[in-house]
């Protein structure tokens, strides 16, 4: 098996990261695997739901990044991993895991994926998806109410108290580590087409230094 090429895709909440990653994944199919940082939220089994709901999920300390680093290293070494699963409606890690196999291209996605240096050091390409804050908030309200069982009030409260402050403190500064910045998320079809072409060359063995 050829060397695994690792790509990190970061950006603010609802910036279009997942949309871009899914478009790339659909294009390349089995040649690519996706691992989300959100899957590695820490478990809080000893904490009641009301308390878990109040936790700050946008701070680097809320993630078990060390486990993710070990899993990425394992995939790069050609080993299979058991990726954790996070239940957004319960604000806790699920008991199930997902089997993930090594692939030629591994995409890592999450708001803080570029923040930890040890994780950045495993990446060959670092991408930041840059989308207007108002647009991101509207998308988050739509997503969290439809897909994650949240109320509009709870989404706005979380945005004011943790999402926005953490974005300004941790997410936005991580943009300086990006090799490629994609404005407007999934709507930027030109940037996505260029990225697809670049990755196709890697899969075809035409990677350049």
């Amino acid at each position: 098996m050829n060397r695994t090429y690792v790509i990190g895709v970061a950006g603010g909440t609802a910036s279009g990261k997942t949309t871009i990653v899914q478009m790339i994944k659909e294009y390349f199919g089995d040649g690519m695997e996706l691992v989300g940082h959100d899957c590695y939220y820490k478990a809080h089994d000893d904490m009641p739901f009301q308390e878990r709901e109040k936790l700050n999920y946008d701070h680097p300390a809320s993630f078990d990044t060390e486990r993710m680093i070990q899993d990425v290293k394992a995939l790069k070494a050609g080993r299979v991993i058991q990726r954790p699963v996070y239940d957004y409606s319960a604000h806790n890690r699920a008991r199930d895991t997902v089997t993930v196999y090594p692939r030629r291209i591994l995409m890592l996605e999450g708001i803080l994926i570029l923040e930890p240096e040890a994780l950045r050091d495993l990446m060959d390409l670092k991408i930041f998806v840059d989308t207007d804050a108002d647009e991101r908030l509207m998308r988050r309200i739509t997503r969290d109410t439809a897909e994650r069982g949240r109320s509009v009030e709870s989404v706005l409260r979380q945005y004011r108290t943790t999402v926005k402050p953490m974005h300004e403190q941790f997410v936005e500064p991580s943009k300086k580590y990006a090799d490629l910045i994609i404005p407007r998320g999934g709507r930027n079809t030109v940037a996505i087409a260029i990225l697809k072409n670049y990755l196709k060359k890697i899969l075809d063995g035409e990677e350049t230094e």
Side-chain angles (χ1 to χ4, degrees), residues 144-161:
D144 285 9
T145 53
E147 301 176 13
R148 301 182 179 177
R150 310 277 176 82
S151 67
V152 173
E153 180 182 334
S154 71
V155 175
L156 291 174
R157 182 173 62 250
Q158 187 179 33
Y159 186 84
R160 285 194 303 269
T161 58

Side-chain angles (χ1 to χ4, degrees), residues 62-151:
S62 64
F63 297 91
D64 186 359
T65 301
E66 184 56 40
R67 176 172 174 178
M68 186 178 197
I69 289 169
Q70 295 306 314
D71 282 351
V72 172
K73 288 180 177 178
L75 289 169
K76 291 185 71 170
R79 300 195 299 271
V80 177
I81 66 164
Q82 295 298 319
R83 174 183 63 73
V85 175
Y86 188 77
D87 184 346
Y88 291 98
S89 61
H91 293 288
N92 203 10
R93 185 179 291 181
R95 297 188 182 277
D96 298 331
T97 59
V98 172
T99 302
V100 178
Y101 297 90
R103 294 287 185 258
R104 182 70 176 91
I105 294 179
L106 173 63
M107 296 195 81
L108 312 177
E109 179 263 332
I111 60 171
L112 291 169
I113 211 74
L114 298 184
E115 195 273 336
E117 182 179 5
L119 195 53
R120 289 198 310 271
D121 288 345
L122 298 174
M123 301 174 189
D124 298 285
L125 176 64
K126 296 175 285 292
I127 298 171
F128 191 93
V129 183
D130 203 8
T131 302
D132 180 76
D134 290 341
E135 178 68 22
R136 289 190 291 104
L137 176 57
M138 289 186 288
R139 291 180 186 176
R140 183 175 177 115
I141 292 172
T142 301
R143 180 196 68 192
D144 285 9
T145 53
E147 301 176 13
R148 301 182 179 177
R150 310 277 176 82
S151 67

Side-chain angles (χ1 to χ4, degrees), residues 33-46:
E33 186 56 77
L34 165 64
V35 176
H37 204 186
D38 287 8
C39 299
Y40 291 83
Y41 275 126
K42 292 178 179 176
H44 296 285
D45 297 328
D46 57 342

